Amino acid sequence: MSSQHPDGSVFSNIVRAPEDPILGVTVAYNKDTSPIKLNLGVGAYRTEEGKPLVLNVVRRAEQLLVNDPSRVKEYLPIVGLAEFNKLSAKLIFGADSPAIQENRVTTVQGLSGTGSLRVGAEFLARHYYQHTIYIPVPTWGNHPKIFTIAGLSVKTYRYYDPETRGLDFKGLLEDLGAAPTGAIVLLHACAHNPTGVDPTLEQWEQIRQLMRSKGLLPFFDSAYQGFASGSLDADAQSVRMFVADGGECLAAQSYAKNMGLYGERVGALSIVCKAADVASRVESQLKLVIRPMYSNPPIHGASIVATILKDSDMYNEWTVELKAMADRIISMRQLLFDALRDRGTPRDWSHIIKQIGMFTFTGLNTEQVAFMTKEYHIYMTSDGRISMAGLSSRTVPHLADAIHAAVTRIP
């Protein structure tokens, strides 16, 4: 026995796993004792004072829930809170969506965006005839892991052009045009993570036509509805375009960013089908995916969302707070752009104000990022992605100095 397990543990053969590349940034930041340190790695909103924000409307909703003596802690059904599911589908597809009116949509509550993607991926791996999913290059680091572990084969399509720091639309169309019939395609509904580069509505229409002509199945990841532009409807236009043509698609939603419910893990997976009876059969199979995974979802976060979405006053208050978050991020983009221009920093930095959402893909290389961390105590992912939400008017000059030094000293 001892020869097999030299240190006495049956797990002695376990090797240490690498830190998660995104969450690892925060670990390194926390160890840094410098007073000027700045964390631009994490995808969470911060106030001008650099503090996490709980929306006033969320506090109000929680107070209502806490004060309601009829509320209990019983298990939810496998698919989650019915009211939450209904309101979530309306939020992304539109209140007047024919798909909803015709009962062609099935929606299940998920563990935020990640859990909703995972349930959708496992469902497809089990029941869809094509097991290949195309994801953009680059994409959120968790995407390939989620789809691979669920049993899908991950391929990529071109998306970002480092030369223009914009969309490689020609490459995107070529790659999707060459994809096998029926392949699944992951699409970021808005505020593409990590680049902040989105197709225009005209480009979305071309993508839709190409995908429908080839029978490709759209799987939308909607993590930033309302958070990108400040308008819930504008940020859902890409998804609604694909639903309007009567075709089928999947959509994963997260309330982490737009309601600031990060740690509550609140999300939804919707599958739009051709007919109501298909949607009902699909839901029956989604239950079989969820039950052995986590039985049923948590009640608190979904109740907060439902409380806000069903009350017109609270809903309006939410849209005002949501727009304020989006506007602050847009103003940080302008401040950073202006600061780099004022310093005469080499390169064109206009992509900072053209990109949208929480992140800016700066175009800085790994060496420049490492330099900024070492010399300026600024933490970000090694691909040069910075979270605009982590910036304030107080910290923009420090970041601009660091970027200026990095691009002038390190080619």
Side-chain angles (χ1 to χ4, degrees), residues 45-80:
Y45 182 82
R46 294 289 179 265
T47 63
E48 174 66 22
E49 295 70 46
K51 299 276 188 288
L53 177 69
V54 179
L55 300 185
N56 288 324
V57 73
V58 166
R59 293 235 189 257
R60 255 180 74 195
E62 287 192 299
Q63 210 57 62
L64 286 173
L65 294 168
V66 168
N67 293 342
D68 179 357
S70 69
R71 268 182 58 78
V72 291
K73 301 290 187 187
E74 293 291 288
Y75 290 127
L76 285 177
I78 297 171
V79 295

Side-chain angles (χ1 to χ4, degrees), residues 42 51 117 213 229 256 266 278 310 350-351:
V42 71
K51 299 276 188 288
L117 288 164
S213 72
S229 67
V266 201
V278 180
K310 74 181 175 193
S350 60
H351 59 283

Side-chain angles (χ1 to χ4, degrees), residues 180-243:
T181 303
I184 309 153
V185 180
L186 178 85
L187 300 163
H188 295 231
C190 67
H192 179 272
N193 175 6
T195 68
V197 173
D198 285 355
T200 63
L201 284 178
E202 293 73 30
Q203 289 172 329
W204 271 120
E205 178 52 27
Q206 278 182 259
I207 294 168
R208 187 196 67 77
Q209 286 176 13
L210 171 69
M211 285 182 62
R212 292 309 195 198
S213 72
K214 288 191 56 84
L216 303 174
L217 181 65
F219 193 158
F220 282 97
D221 185 357
S222 174
Y224 300 96
Q225 188 185 349
F227 196 92
S229 67
S231 160
L232 287 156
D233 289 325
D235 290 348
Q237 278 176 296
S238 61
V239 181
R240 292 175 188 178
M241 215 180 258
F242 278 79
V243 177

Side-chain angles (χ1 to χ4, degrees), residues 79 84-85 108-113 115-116 119 265-269 294 297-298:
V79 295
F84 165 85
N85 291 339
V108 298
Q109 185 186 329
L111 303 181
S112 205
S116 304
V119 168
R265 315 304 297 134
V266 201
L269 170 74
Y294 54 83

Side-chain angles (χ1 to χ4, degrees), residues 319-393:
T319 59
V320 171
E321 290 195 81
L322 179 52
K323 183 154 178 20
M325 288 194 287
D327 286 350
R328 194 184 92 72
I329 289 176
I330 291 164
S331 72
M332 286 306 113
R333 289 183 178 280
Q334 192 63 52
L335 275 183
L336 180 58
F337 173 75
D338 292 347
L340 290 168
R341 195 191 48 200
D342 295 348
R343 283 161 179 74
T345 308
R347 294 189 189 176
D348 172 13
W349 296 97
S350 60
H351 59 283
I352 293 174
I353 41 182
K354 284 183 197 147
Q355 293 171 6
I356 192 168
M358 190 172 269
F359 302 109
T360 287
F361 217 47
T362 57
L364 296 165
N365 62 36
T366 316
E367 290 76 22
Q368 290 164 336
V369 170
F371 167 84
M372 287 167 61
T373 302
K374 185 167 178 285
E375 301 296 329
Y376 287 83
H377 304 272
I378 293 172
Y379 291 81
M380 63 180 104
T381 50
S382 60
D383 58 6
R385 180 193 88 164
I386 61 174
S387 171
M388 298 309 291
L391 276 177
S392 68
S393 45

